[in-house]
mmCIF file of all heavy atoms in Angstrom:
data_model
loop_
_atom_site.group_PDB
_atom_site.id
_atom_site.type_symbol
_atom_site.label_atom_id
_atom_site.label_comp_id
_atom_site.label_asym_id
_atom_site.label_seq_id
_atom_site.Cartn_x
_atom_site.Cartn_y
_atom_site.Cartn_z
ATOM 1 N N PHE X 1429 -90.594 48.070 -58.695
ATOM 2 C CA PHE X 1429 -92.028 48.252 -58.508
ATOM 3 C C PHE X 1429 -92.684 46.976 -57.953
ATOM 4 O O PHE X 1429 -92.179 45.871 -58.161
ATOM 5 C CB PHE X 1429 -92.685 48.636 -59.836
ATOM 6 C CG PHE X 1429 -92.171 49.927 -60.406
ATOM 7 C CD1 PHE X 1429 -91.179 49.919 -61.375
ATOM 8 C CD2 PHE X 1429 -92.666 51.147 -59.966
ATOM 9 C CE1 PHE X 1429 -90.693 51.110 -61.902
ATOM 10 C CE2 PHE X 1429 -92.186 52.335 -60.481
ATOM 11 C CZ PHE X 1429 -91.198 52.320 -61.449
ATOM 12 N N PRO X 1430 -93.808 47.121 -57.249
ATOM 13 C CA PRO X 1430 -94.511 45.956 -56.684
ATOM 14 C C PRO X 1430 -94.965 44.996 -57.781
ATOM 15 O O PRO X 1430 -95.397 45.422 -58.855
ATOM 16 C CB PRO X 1430 -95.711 46.577 -55.957
ATOM 17 C CG PRO X 1430 -95.341 48.004 -55.740
ATOM 18 C CD PRO X 1430 -94.478 48.391 -56.902
ATOM 19 N N SER X 1431 -94.870 43.719 -57.515
ATOM 20 C CA SER X 1431 -95.317 42.711 -58.472
ATOM 21 C C SER X 1431 -96.111 41.639 -57.745
ATOM 22 O O SER X 1431 -95.951 41.448 -56.537
ATOM 23 C CB SER X 1431 -94.123 42.090 -59.208
ATOM 24 O OG SER X 1431 -93.183 41.564 -58.290
ATOM 25 N N ARG X 1432 -96.946 40.930 -58.481
ATOM 26 C CA ARG X 1432 -97.774 39.892 -57.872
ATOM 27 C C ARG X 1432 -98.165 38.860 -58.917
ATOM 28 O O ARG X 1432 -97.995 39.086 -60.126
ATOM 29 C CB ARG X 1432 -99.037 40.507 -57.263
ATOM 30 C CG ARG X 1432 -100.029 41.041 -58.305
ATOM 31 C CD ARG X 1432 -101.254 41.655 -57.661
ATOM 32 N NE ARG X 1432 -102.230 42.060 -58.675
ATOM 33 C CZ ARG X 1432 -103.373 42.694 -58.405
ATOM 34 N NH1 ARG X 1432 -103.666 43.003 -57.144
ATOM 35 N NH2 ARG X 1432 -104.212 43.024 -59.383
ATOM 36 N N ILE X 1433 -98.684 37.724 -58.447
ATOM 37 C CA ILE X 1433 -99.197 36.679 -59.329
ATOM 38 C C ILE X 1433 -100.715 36.632 -59.192
ATOM 39 O O ILE X 1433 -101.245 36.681 -58.082
ATOM 40 C CB ILE X 1433 -98.601 35.295 -58.973
ATOM 41 C CG1 ILE X 1433 -97.108 35.264 -59.270
ATOM 42 C CG2 ILE X 1433 -99.317 34.188 -59.753
ATOM 43 C CD1 ILE X 1433 -96.439 33.972 -58.853
ATOM 44 N N VAL X 1434 -101.393 36.545 -60.325
ATOM 45 C CA VAL X 1434 -102.844 36.442 -60.338
ATOM 46 C C VAL X 1434 -103.234 35.183 -61.105
ATOM 47 O O VAL X 1434 -102.806 35.006 -62.251
ATOM 48 C CB VAL X 1434 -103.501 37.676 -60.991
ATOM 49 C CG1 VAL X 1434 -105.014 37.507 -61.028
ATOM 50 C CG2 VAL X 1434 -103.125 38.941 -60.232
ATOM 51 N N LYS X 1435 -103.990 34.315 -60.473
ATOM 52 C CA LYS X 1435 -104.458 33.098 -61.129
ATOM 53 C C LYS X 1435 -105.779 33.384 -61.826
ATOM 54 O O LYS X 1435 -106.691 33.959 -61.237
ATOM 55 C CB LYS X 1435 -104.646 31.981 -60.090
ATOM 56 C CG LYS X 1435 -105.120 30.653 -60.675
ATOM 57 C CD LYS X 1435 -105.287 29.619 -59.570
ATOM 58 C CE LYS X 1435 -105.803 28.295 -60.129
ATOM 59 N NZ LYS X 1435 -105.992 27.304 -59.050
ATOM 60 N N LYS X 1436 -105.854 32.977 -63.093
ATOM 61 C CA LYS X 1436 -107.062 33.243 -63.878
ATOM 62 C C LYS X 1436 -107.465 32.003 -64.676
ATOM 63 O O LYS X 1436 -106.700 31.046 -64.791
ATOM 64 C CB LYS X 1436 -106.839 34.425 -64.829
ATOM 65 C CG LYS X 1436 -106.574 35.751 -64.131
ATOM 66 C CD LYS X 1436 -106.426 36.877 -65.136
ATOM 67 C CE LYS X 1436 -106.192 38.210 -64.437
ATOM 68 N NZ LYS X 1436 -106.043 39.326 -65.399
ATOM 69 N N ARG X 1437 -108.668 32.064 -65.221
ATOM 70 C CA ARG X 1437 -109.127 31.026 -66.134
ATOM 71 C C ARG X 1437 -109.023 31.574 -67.547
ATOM 72 O O ARG X 1437 -109.390 32.712 -67.820
ATOM 73 C CB ARG X 1437 -110.572 30.634 -65.842
ATOM 74 C CG ARG X 1437 -110.793 29.989 -64.490
ATOM 75 C CD ARG X 1437 -110.135 28.637 -64.383
ATOM 76 N NE ARG X 1437 -110.747 27.673 -65.297
ATOM 77 C CZ ARG X 1437 -110.323 26.427 -65.434
ATOM 78 N NH1 ARG X 1437 -109.255 26.006 -64.752
ATOM 79 N NH2 ARG X 1437 -110.926 25.596 -66.250
ATOM 80 N N ALA X 1438 -108.487 30.771 -68.446
ATOM 81 C CA ALA X 1438 -108.322 31.205 -69.828
ATOM 82 C C ALA X 1438 -108.826 30.120 -70.770
ATOM 83 O O ALA X 1438 -108.971 28.956 -70.384
ATOM 84 C CB ALA X 1438 -106.851 31.509 -70.119
ATOM 85 N N ARG X 1439 -109.091 30.517 -71.997
ATOM 86 C CA ARG X 1439 -109.523 29.536 -72.996
ATOM 87 C C ARG X 1439 -108.441 28.490 -73.209
ATOM 88 O O ARG X 1439 -107.250 28.794 -73.146
ATOM 89 C CB ARG X 1439 -109.837 30.234 -74.324
ATOM 90 C CG ARG X 1439 -111.040 31.171 -74.251
ATOM 91 C CD ARG X 1439 -111.319 31.777 -75.605
ATOM 92 N NE ARG X 1439 -112.439 32.701 -75.559
ATOM 93 C CZ ARG X 1439 -112.911 33.358 -76.611
ATOM 94 N NH1 ARG X 1439 -112.336 33.176 -77.797
ATOM 95 N NH2 ARG X 1439 -113.926 34.169 -76.486
ATOM 96 N N GLU X 1440 -108.851 27.305 -73.490
ATOM 97 C CA GLU X 1440 -107.910 26.205 -73.661
ATOM 98 C C GLU X 1440 -106.903 26.486 -74.761
ATOM 99 O O GLU X 1440 -105.755 26.045 -74.700
ATOM 100 C CB GLU X 1440 -108.668 24.913 -73.990
ATOM 101 C CG GLU X 1440 -107.796 23.677 -74.127
ATOM 102 C CD GLU X 1440 -107.085 23.323 -72.836
ATOM 103 O OE1 GLU X 1440 -107.645 23.588 -71.756
ATOM 104 O OE2 GLU X 1440 -105.965 22.791 -72.907
ATOM 105 N N SER X 1441 -107.325 27.267 -75.763
ATOM 106 C CA SER X 1441 -106.442 27.534 -76.908
ATOM 107 C C SER X 1441 -105.347 28.540 -76.589
ATOM 108 O O SER X 1441 -104.401 28.702 -77.349
ATOM 109 C CB SER X 1441 -107.263 28.056 -78.097
ATOM 110 O OG SER X 1441 -107.928 29.255 -77.744
ATOM 111 N N ARG X 1442 -105.466 29.218 -75.463
ATOM 112 C CA ARG X 1442 -104.491 30.263 -75.145
ATOM 113 C C ARG X 1442 -103.159 29.666 -74.717
ATOM 114 O O ARG X 1442 -103.095 28.807 -73.857
ATOM 115 C CB ARG X 1442 -105.018 31.179 -74.040
ATOM 116 C CG ARG X 1442 -104.084 32.356 -73.754
ATOM 117 C CD ARG X 1442 -104.676 33.279 -72.721
ATOM 118 N NE ARG X 1442 -103.785 34.397 -72.442
ATOM 119 C CZ ARG X 1442 -104.016 35.297 -71.510
ATOM 120 N NH1 ARG X 1442 -105.101 35.208 -70.763
ATOM 121 N NH2 ARG X 1442 -103.166 36.280 -71.300
ATOM 122 N N ARG X 1443 -102.093 30.123 -75.339
ATOM 123 C CA ARG X 1443 -100.750 29.672 -74.992
ATOM 124 C C ARG X 1443 -99.840 30.898 -74.914
ATOM 125 O O ARG X 1443 -100.228 32.004 -75.240
ATOM 126 C CB ARG X 1443 -100.220 28.671 -76.032
ATOM 127 C CG ARG X 1443 -100.909 27.298 -75.960
ATOM 128 C CD ARG X 1443 -100.572 26.587 -74.657
ATOM 129 N NE ARG X 1443 -101.137 25.246 -74.596
ATOM 130 C CZ ARG X 1443 -102.327 24.961 -74.114
ATOM 131 N NH1 ARG X 1443 -103.113 25.930 -73.678
ATOM 132 N NH2 ARG X 1443 -102.760 23.725 -74.090
ATOM 133 N N PHE X 1444 -98.599 30.706 -74.486
ATOM 134 C CA PHE X 1444 -97.683 31.814 -74.306
ATOM 135 C C PHE X 1444 -96.405 31.606 -75.122
ATOM 136 O O PHE X 1444 -95.400 31.142 -74.609
ATOM 137 C CB PHE X 1444 -97.343 31.968 -72.822
ATOM 138 C CG PHE X 1444 -98.552 32.239 -71.971
ATOM 139 C CD1 PHE X 1444 -99.088 31.244 -71.170
ATOM 140 C CD2 PHE X 1444 -99.147 33.487 -71.994
ATOM 141 C CE1 PHE X 1444 -100.205 31.500 -70.401
ATOM 142 C CE2 PHE X 1444 -100.274 33.753 -71.210
ATOM 143 C CZ PHE X 1444 -100.797 32.750 -70.418
ATOM 144 N N PRO X 1445 -96.447 31.918 -76.446
ATOM 145 C CA PRO X 1445 -95.246 31.805 -77.280
ATOM 146 C C PRO X 1445 -94.260 32.919 -76.954
ATOM 147 O O PRO X 1445 -94.448 33.682 -76.007
ATOM 148 C CB PRO X 1445 -95.811 31.950 -78.702
ATOM 149 C CG PRO X 1445 -97.033 32.779 -78.525
ATOM 150 C CD PRO X 1445 -97.609 32.372 -77.199
ATOM 151 N N MET X 1446 -93.215 33.075 -77.784
ATOM 152 C CA MET X 1446 -92.146 34.010 -77.456
ATOM 153 C C MET X 1446 -92.657 35.434 -77.232
ATOM 154 O O MET X 1446 -92.276 36.090 -76.262
ATOM 155 C CB MET X 1446 -91.081 34.032 -78.560
ATOM 156 C CG MET X 1446 -89.862 34.877 -78.182
ATOM 157 S SD MET X 1446 -88.697 35.165 -79.528
ATOM 158 C CE MET X 1446 -89.430 36.589 -80.320
ATOM 159 N N PHE X 1447 -93.539 35.926 -78.109
ATOM 160 C CA PHE X 1447 -93.994 37.296 -77.956
ATOM 161 C C PHE X 1447 -94.835 37.490 -76.705
ATOM 162 O O PHE X 1447 -94.999 38.609 -76.235
ATOM 163 C CB PHE X 1447 -94.756 37.752 -79.204
ATOM 164 C CG PHE X 1447 -93.854 38.250 -80.293
ATOM 165 C CD1 PHE X 1447 -93.498 37.425 -81.346
ATOM 166 C CD2 PHE X 1447 -93.326 39.527 -80.250
ATOM 167 C CE1 PHE X 1447 -92.641 37.868 -82.337
ATOM 168 C CE2 PHE X 1447 -92.470 39.993 -81.249
ATOM 169 C CZ PHE X 1447 -92.127 39.159 -82.296
ATOM 170 N N GLU X 1448 -95.373 36.398 -76.163
ATOM 171 C CA GLU X 1448 -96.097 36.498 -74.898
ATOM 172 C C GLU X 1448 -95.131 36.724 -73.745
ATOM 173 O O GLU X 1448 -95.547 37.066 -72.640
ATOM 174 C CB GLU X 1448 -96.943 35.244 -74.649
ATOM 175 C CG GLU X 1448 -98.208 35.169 -75.467
ATOM 176 C CD GLU X 1448 -99.237 36.198 -75.037
ATOM 177 O OE1 GLU X 1448 -99.115 36.703 -73.902
ATOM 178 O OE2 GLU X 1448 -100.144 36.497 -75.817
ATOM 179 N N ARG X 1449 -93.843 36.497 -73.991
ATOM 180 C CA ARG X 1449 -92.833 36.769 -72.963
ATOM 181 C C ARG X 1449 -92.489 38.244 -72.914
ATOM 182 O O ARG X 1449 -91.825 38.695 -71.986
ATOM 183 C CB ARG X 1449 -91.578 35.941 -73.230
ATOM 184 C CG ARG X 1449 -91.763 34.437 -73.105
ATOM 185 C CD ARG X 1449 -90.524 33.695 -73.589
ATOM 186 N NE ARG X 1449 -89.328 34.123 -72.886
ATOM 187 C CZ ARG X 1449 -88.084 33.898 -73.329
ATOM 188 N NH1 ARG X 1449 -87.901 33.283 -74.482
ATOM 189 N NH2 ARG X 1449 -87.049 34.299 -72.631
ATOM 190 N N PHE X 1450 -92.934 39.005 -73.922
ATOM 191 C CA PHE X 1450 -92.674 40.440 -73.941
ATOM 192 C C PHE X 1450 -93.470 41.124 -72.837
ATOM 193 O O PHE X 1450 -94.669 40.891 -72.683
ATOM 194 C CB PHE X 1450 -93.081 41.033 -75.292
ATOM 195 C CG PHE X 1450 -92.024 40.914 -76.349
ATOM 196 C CD1 PHE X 1450 -91.312 39.738 -76.503
ATOM 197 C CD2 PHE X 1450 -91.762 41.960 -77.211
ATOM 198 C CE1 PHE X 1450 -90.347 39.613 -77.478
ATOM 199 C CE2 PHE X 1450 -90.799 41.853 -78.198
ATOM 200 C CZ PHE X 1450 -90.082 40.678 -78.324
ATOM 201 N N THR X 1451 -92.798 41.991 -72.078
ATOM 202 C CA THR X 1451 -93.495 42.786 -71.081
ATOM 203 C C THR X 1451 -94.335 43.839 -71.802
ATOM 204 O O THR X 1451 -94.206 44.033 -73.019
ATOM 205 C CB THR X 1451 -92.513 43.488 -70.137
ATOM 206 O OG1 THR X 1451 -91.743 44.437 -70.895
ATOM 207 C CG2 THR X 1451 -91.565 42.483 -69.480
ATOM 208 N N GLU X 1452 -95.190 44.524 -71.041
ATOM 209 C CA GLU X 1452 -96.001 45.572 -71.643
ATOM 210 C C GLU X 1452 -95.119 46.655 -72.256
ATOM 211 O O GLU X 1452 -95.438 47.205 -73.317
ATOM 212 C CB GLU X 1452 -96.928 46.180 -70.589
ATOM 213 C CG GLU X 1452 -98.099 45.278 -70.202
ATOM 214 C CD GLU X 1452 -99.001 44.977 -71.376
ATOM 215 O OE1 GLU X 1452 -99.367 45.922 -72.112
ATOM 216 O OE2 GLU X 1452 -99.350 43.799 -71.583
ATOM 217 N N ARG X 1453 -94.002 46.966 -71.605
ATOM 218 C CA ARG X 1453 -93.098 47.989 -72.144
ATOM 219 C C ARG X 1453 -92.443 47.518 -73.432
ATOM 220 O O ARG X 1453 -92.235 48.309 -74.364
ATOM 221 C CB ARG X 1453 -92.050 48.379 -71.106
ATOM 222 C CG ARG X 1453 -92.603 49.133 -69.914
ATOM 223 C CD ARG X 1453 -91.509 49.644 -68.990
ATOM 224 N NE ARG X 1453 -90.641 48.579 -68.513
ATOM 225 C CZ ARG X 1453 -89.350 48.457 -68.828
ATOM 226 N NH1 ARG X 1453 -88.774 49.346 -69.610
ATOM 227 N NH2 ARG X 1453 -88.629 47.469 -68.355
ATOM 228 N N ALA X 1454 -92.108 46.228 -73.513
ATOM 229 C CA ALA X 1454 -91.510 45.684 -74.734
ATOM 230 C C ALA X 1454 -92.525 45.686 -75.874
ATOM 231 O O ALA X 1454 -92.189 45.965 -77.033
ATOM 232 C CB ALA X 1454 -90.998 44.268 -74.492
ATOM 233 N N ARG X 1455 -93.772 45.387 -75.538
ATOM 234 C CA ARG X 1455 -94.818 45.446 -76.567
ATOM 235 C C ARG X 1455 -95.025 46.883 -77.036
ATOM 236 O O ARG X 1455 -95.297 47.124 -78.211
ATOM 237 C CB ARG X 1455 -96.113 44.862 -76.012
ATOM 238 C CG ARG X 1455 -96.023 43.376 -75.714
ATOM 239 C CD ARG X 1455 -97.292 42.856 -75.105
ATOM 240 N NE ARG X 1455 -97.104 41.497 -74.615
ATOM 241 C CZ ARG X 1455 -98.045 40.790 -74.030
ATOM 242 N NH1 ARG X 1455 -99.241 41.309 -73.861
ATOM 243 N NH2 ARG X 1455 -97.795 39.562 -73.610
ATOM 244 N N ALA X 1456 -94.886 47.822 -76.090
ATOM 245 C CA ALA X 1456 -95.008 49.230 -76.458
ATOM 246 C C ALA X 1456 -93.900 49.613 -77.434
ATOM 247 O O ALA X 1456 -94.120 50.409 -78.360
ATOM 248 C CB ALA X 1456 -94.945 50.111 -75.211
ATOM 249 N N VAL X 1457 -92.711 49.048 -77.262
ATOM 250 C CA VAL X 1457 -91.600 49.297 -78.187
ATOM 251 C C VAL X 1457 -91.988 48.874 -79.591
ATOM 252 O O VAL X 1457 -91.764 49.604 -80.565
ATOM 253 C CB VAL X 1457 -90.320 48.547 -77.738
ATOM 254 C CG1 VAL X 1457 -89.269 48.565 -78.856
ATOM 255 C CG2 VAL X 1457 -89.746 49.166 -76.478
ATOM 256 N N VAL X 1458 -92.578 47.686 -79.713
ATOM 257 C CA VAL X 1458 -92.983 47.175 -81.025
ATOM 258 C C VAL X 1458 -94.070 48.052 -81.631
ATOM 259 O O VAL X 1458 -94.053 48.356 -82.834
ATOM 260 C CB VAL X 1458 -93.465 45.716 -80.906
ATOM 261 C CG1 VAL X 1458 -94.023 45.229 -82.239
ATOM 262 C CG2 VAL X 1458 -92.325 44.812 -80.453
#
């Protein structure tokens, strides 16, 4: 499927721990 990168502004506190590596489908599994 088509994929792309989108640059955004986020709160300084936002980080990407292990569960942030989960795709939407993986989160749906949980």
